[in-house]
Each structure stands twice: as C-alpha cells, then as structure tokens.
C-alpha cells in the first residue's frame, strides 16, 4: 500500500485518489493498526504533494519574472512592456482577465491603460470616476483588486 502513495505522487494524482487508498482499505476490512499506518502515510504523501505544488508554482513565478525582466531589457516600447507584464500577471494568477489602470487627475477618472483577456472593446476603453467601482477602489487605496 505504501508504494501506492508513491505511484500517486509520481502520477500527480488529485487529493481524492490518496483518500481512496484508505477508503479502499477500509472496504477490504483492514484492521485499525493498518488503517492508522495508512492514514499516516497518506498524510505524509499529501504534505509532499503540497510541497511539490508549491515548488511548481515558485518555478512558474520565477520563469515569469525572468521572462518579464528579459522583456524589460529587450523591448523599448513602453506600451509593449506594460502589455507583457499584464499578460504574465494573468498567466500567474490563472485569471480570466487582468488590467493595468491609470488615474487621469485632470479628468478625475481612472482608465484602462492595458488589458489582457477583456472580451469587449467597451471594457478596454472603460473610464470611471475616481473612487468608483473596483478600479476606483484600487486606485484610491493603492491596492490591487485581487488583494481584496
């Protein structure tokens, strides 16, 4: 049974598959000692699985950081740099859409400078009075909408 957890780790199986090993043992009439040992191994395997997932996420973040740094040194057009940053943020966050907004103090509005994943042209050109909507709340507080 211990090899089963290693097989699941190697296959990057979902959490439910680890739980199923214990459930199957219970259904097969395993004794309490065997079940306790299996639960301990499952807990260890799940901790390893979580560490592997955190490592994958760190690798993705570092890769995006490296690619963004490359863009910053290679691209001379500010709009292209901002588009690359917003695109990478979307990828890292696994978001449907990301944007970078700026404030136009003269007009008293926040507007979309760069979007990635916006489905409508209206959203790409959205302007809101300062302090309204998520865009306004973020610009007023200095915090991203994602951190709320």
């Amino acid at each position: 049974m211990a090899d089963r957890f290693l097989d699941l780790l190697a296959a990057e199986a979902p959490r439910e598959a680890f739980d199923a090993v214990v459930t199957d043992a219970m259904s097969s009439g395993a004794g309490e000692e065997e079940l306790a040992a299996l639960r301990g191994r499952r807990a260890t395997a799940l901790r390893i699985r979580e560490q592997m997932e955190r490592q994958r996420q760190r690798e993705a973040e570092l890769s995006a950081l490296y690619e963004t740094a490359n863009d910053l040194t290679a691209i001379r057009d500010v709009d292209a740099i901002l588009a690359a940053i917003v695109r990478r943020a979307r990828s890292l966050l696994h978001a449907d859409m990301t944007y970078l907004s700026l404030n136009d103090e003269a007009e008293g509005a926040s507007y979309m400078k760069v979007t990635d994943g916006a489905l409508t042209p209206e959203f790409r050109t959205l302007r809101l009075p300062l302090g309204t909507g998520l865009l306004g709340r973020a610009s007023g507080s200095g915090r991203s909408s994602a951190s709320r």
Side-chain angles (χ1 to χ4, degrees):
M1 282 288 182
D3 288 339
R4 180 75 179 124
F5 290 123
L6 291 176
D7 292 340
L8 292 172
L9 283 170
E12 299 181 4
R15 180 182 181 90
E16 296 79 21
F18 292 83
D19 297 339
V21 172
V22 175
T23 303
D24 291 347
M26 289 171 64
S27 298
S28 300
E32 283 305 313
E33 281 185 36
E34 184 180 352
L35 288 173
L38 271 177
R39 287 184 183 113
R41 287 199 225 54
R42 178 192 62 197
T44 300
L46 289 174
R47 280 194 304 276
I48 293 169
R49 182 180 177 278
E50 289 170 10
Q51 289 172 340
M52 290 168 56
E53 183 57 35
R54 281 193 303 271
Q55 183 64 33
R56 270 192 293 275
Q57 182 64 29
R58 277 193 295 267
E59 288 172 5
E61 291 166 356
L62 286 173
S63 177
L65 181 61
Y66 175 77
E67 290 170 9
T68 301
N70 256 357
D71 286 347
L72 290 174
T73 59
I75 300 172
R76 300 292 177 222
D77 176 31
V78 172
D79 288 334
I81 290 171
L82 294 176
I85 290 169
V86 169
R87 187 174 46 257
R88 295 244 168 62
R90 180 178 176 207
S91 174
L92 282 172
L93 296 171
H94 306 288
D96 293 331
M97 183 201 62
T98 52
Y99 61 85
L100 180 125
S101 64
L102 295 176
N103 290 342
D104 183 341
E105 298 293 335
E107 287 191 26
S110 291
Y111 65 95
M112 300 294 176
K113 176 69 176 170
V114 181
T115 65
D116 191 67
L119 298 177
T120 64
E122 292 82 12
F123 190 86
R124 288 185 214 107
T125 59
L126 183 65
R127 294 181 78 82
L128 292 173
L130 288 175
T132 60
L134 284 178
L135 179 59
R137 284 180 39 200
S139 65
S141 70
R143 292 174 41 205
S144 73
S145 300
S147 66
R148 300 187 187 289

